[in-house]
Amino acid sequence: MPGRAIDVGQGRPLELAARWRRSESTLWRRTLDGVVVLPEGALSPLVLRGPAARIWELLAQPLNVAELLDAIAAVYAVDGDTVADEVGWAVGQLADAGALCPT
């Protein structure tokens, strides 16, 4: 699996083998319909719903993108290719905001 990547938007690749975890400095809370995340230094929170909220929950422990794809695909009973764009976008956005750190 090393060397494989998915697109996180704007032509940026995200390595499938890269491991991610929540940033310890990021504040977050569950809501009735998702998760609200406030990375350190952010002016406004990120509101995560659906697969993005599930990704946040899964990243309570370090996982690589391929593991996230498998987990989200299992939750929604689809194959990994179906959710690859959503997972890539969510991880990319969370990482760009400082809510996730590579391990």
Side-chain angles (χ1 to χ4, degrees), residues 11-60:
R12 293 182 311 145
L14 183 63
E15 189 73 33
L16 290 181
R19 295 184 73 74
W20 295 92
R21 65 173 176 81
R22 296 178 190 167
S23 171
E24 293 176 9
S25 63
T26 297
L27 302 175
W28 66 277
R29 293 289 178 260
R30 281 189 183 88
T31 66
L32 290 176
D33 62 349
V35 177
V36 177
V37 175
L38 183 64
E40 183 177 12
L43 298 177
S44 59
L46 303 169
V47 178
L48 309 177
R49 293 187 178 94
R54 185 69 181 126
I55 288 166
W56 181 261
E57 292 168 359
L58 289 166
L59 288 170

